[in-house]
Amino acid sequence: MEIQLSMLVLEVRDLARSIAFYRDLGLDVPDPPPDRPVVVHRMGSGVSLLLTTSFAATYDPAWSRPTGGYQQLLEFYVGDDASVDRIWAELVAAGHPARMPPTQTAGPYAAMVDDPDGNVVLLTSDEAARPMPDGSLRE
């Protein structure tokens, strides 16, 4: 069996604020259950995005929240270059910190913005990141 990335788990400080950000991004994130600080959104690619405020702290006694910089980028394929421009502008207008305006990089046309917890969200029109109808990525 080939190992597959099935879920990306983000430890967030404020669940409602993070849900609002990812909804602003365009994901149909559901409301969390009333008794649990967690929400899961499954994307068409098959990968799920899980937002939680307590998993790591509950199960890993050595866990501590990073205090500076960033360790990962979450790349979201959003379609064409105009979509990168539009979504970046909407997120920045909504008050989310801009990290890189829409730019033609050495690779894809891309922009970066921070989510409420400082995770860097990369918006791209990179065709290589567009999922195939069966959920696989282009080669």
Side-chain angles (χ1 to χ4, degrees), residues 6-115:
S6 65
M7 184 177 294
L8 176 64
V9 178
L10 295 180
E11 286 284 343
V12 302
R13 289 175 180 85
D14 183 326
L15 188 59
R17 195 168 164 218
S18 293
I19 289 170
F21 171 84
Y22 286 99
R23 285 177 179 167
D24 285 348
L25 177 63
L27 300 181
D28 188 20
V29 178
D31 289 327
D35 58 337
R36 296 186 62 212
V38 64
V39 65
V40 179
H41 170 71
R42 187 164 179 88
M43 292 175 264
S45 64
V47 176
S48 294
L49 175 65
L50 184 141
L51 306 173
T52 183
T53 59
S54 64
F55 184 86
T58 299
Y59 297 103
D60 181 358
W63 180 79
S64 65
R65 190 174 298 280
T67 58
Y70 59 91
Q71 299 178 65
Q72 70 280 326
L73 291 105
L74 288 72
E75 181 177 353
F76 287 90
Y77 170 78
V78 298
D80 58 13
D81 294 356
S83 296
V84 171
D85 293 339
R86 178 183 53 77
I87 294 169
W88 182 84
E90 289 171 356
L91 290 170
V92 171
H96 303 292
R99 187 166 289 274
M100 181 183 84
T103 303
Q104 180 59 58
T105 68
Y109 187 74
M112 292 189 289
V113 64
D114 288 359
D115 79 359

